[in-house]
Amino acid sequence: MCLAMKARPSAENVLDKIVEEAKELQDAAPEKRAEEFGDLLFAVVNLGRHYGVDSEEALRDANRKFERRFAFIESELSRIGKTPAQSDLAEMDSLWNKAKSEGI
């Protein structure tokens, strides 16, 4: 492979790199996890670059969406007199899917 091809990997190559980095994180010793996690994040940001995505804005948007959906879960649980601590994963997952289906 020529040097120019190595310098500009395709999105498919970057996806392969993400899988590689995820595996390295999974196999990492505890003292290396932060480093491997950083490598994984770097690869994901690189994929965003290939797709013309602003990674920071995408993460902010994902955080806002998570907050909206979790607030919905808390509200629905409160309506039936429960807190998230009194719920289980299956119930909260069902409410999460309800939030998604309602466009929250």
Side-chain angles (χ1 to χ4, degrees):
M1 179 182 293
C2 72
L3 184 57
M5 289 294 288
K6 288 184 181 179
R8 293 188 49 104
S10 69
E12 185 176 318
N13 295 129
V14 177
L15 284 167
D16 291 341
K17 185 66 173 174
I18 289 170
V19 170
E20 175 188 323
E21 294 296 348
K23 177 74 172 130
E24 289 177 11
L25 174 59
Q26 183 179 27
D27 296 340
E31 66 274 7
K32 297 293 278 181
R33 286 184 187 144
E35 178 183 344
E36 294 300 341
F37 186 71
D39 291 348
L40 176 59
L41 288 174
F42 189 84
V44 171
V45 168
N46 190 28
L47 182 63
R49 181 181 62 82
H50 277 274
Y51 289 130
V53 173
D54 180 325
S55 297
E56 289 183 50
E57 186 60 32
L59 183 56
R60 280 191 290 272
D61 290 345
N63 282 334
R64 284 189 288 268
K65 179 171 57 177
F66 175 85
E67 289 171 351
R68 283 192 313 272
R69 289 182 181 168
F70 198 80
F72 174 84
I73 290 169
E74 289 176 316
S75 175
E76 290 294 296
L77 288 173
S78 177
R79 207 171 44 75
I80 59 172
K82 292 172 86 172
T83 67
Q86 296 165 322
S87 184
D88 61 26
L89 187 56
E91 181 177 38
M92 288 193 289
D93 193 47
S94 175
L95 290 170
W96 181 272
N97 289 332
K98 182 179 177 185
K100 277 177 68 172
S101 72
E102 293 183 11
I104 295 172

